[in-house]
Amino acid sequence: SGYDRGHLAPAADMKWSVQAMEESFYLSNMCPQDKSFNRGIWKKLEEEVREYAKHNKQIKVVTGPILEEGLPVLGPNRVSIPRYFYKALLDYSQPSIKAIAFIMKNEHSELPLSHFVISIDSLEKVSGIDFFPLLPDADEIKLEKEKCYSCWESDKNH
């Protein structure tokens, strides 16, 4: 097909369990991704998020495709080929409560990750998904407006 079976939850994040690793290869965890996207900028983002997880007590990561009408399809099962993929991250532990989102076109890119940063509010508008609805309203309003890439980067350096 010319596309990779791109993981949404990366296989490299599942090394803690043989079962989790095997289950990461279910088709329900994959979407068609341009090879240079999957092996390039998307892989870079996955590695970056893995680093964030190492340097924060816990983070929540939501990943997926932006599904919309009229997407090209692949094969007899008519699997949609997303034009965009996203990750929404939330660190809801002290001392540095923060949130960030990324949206990337399903194509090769040499741009830095900071180029793809958007607020979770913006991602919610594009995707139609309310990402962290269980947060207290005041926190949700504040956090979902953020798009501070350097806030996440500074955690890696401590």
Side-chain angles (χ1 to χ4, degrees), residues 59-122:
I59 63 172
K60 295 183 184 341
V61 181
V62 183
T63 303
I66 301 292
L67 298 175
E68 55 193 327
E69 292 293 324
L71 289 173
V73 295
L74 182 64
N77 293 325
R78 303 184 47 76
V79 175
S80 293
I81 303 169
R83 285 192 261 272
Y84 294 92
F85 287 88
Y86 67 83
K87 287 190 182 287
L89 285 66
L90 173 66
D91 172 8
Y92 200 62
S93 58
Q94 295 291 348
S96 58
I97 294 173
K98 58 194 172 296
I100 194 169
F102 297 84
I103 189 167
M104 300 177 157
K105 195 162 187 183
N106 188 8
E107 65 184 17
H108 175 79
S109 178
E110 296 291 332
L111 294 170
L113 290 175
S114 58
H115 178 80
F116 302 99
V117 171
I118 63 172
S119 68
I120 291 175
D121 278 341
S122 295

Side-chain angles (χ1 to χ4, degrees), residues 92 135-145:
Y92 200 62
L135 287 173
D137 287 342
D139 289 346
E140 184 178 11
I141 290 166
K142 177 186 174 295
L143 289 167
E144 291 187 354
K145 287 181 183 175

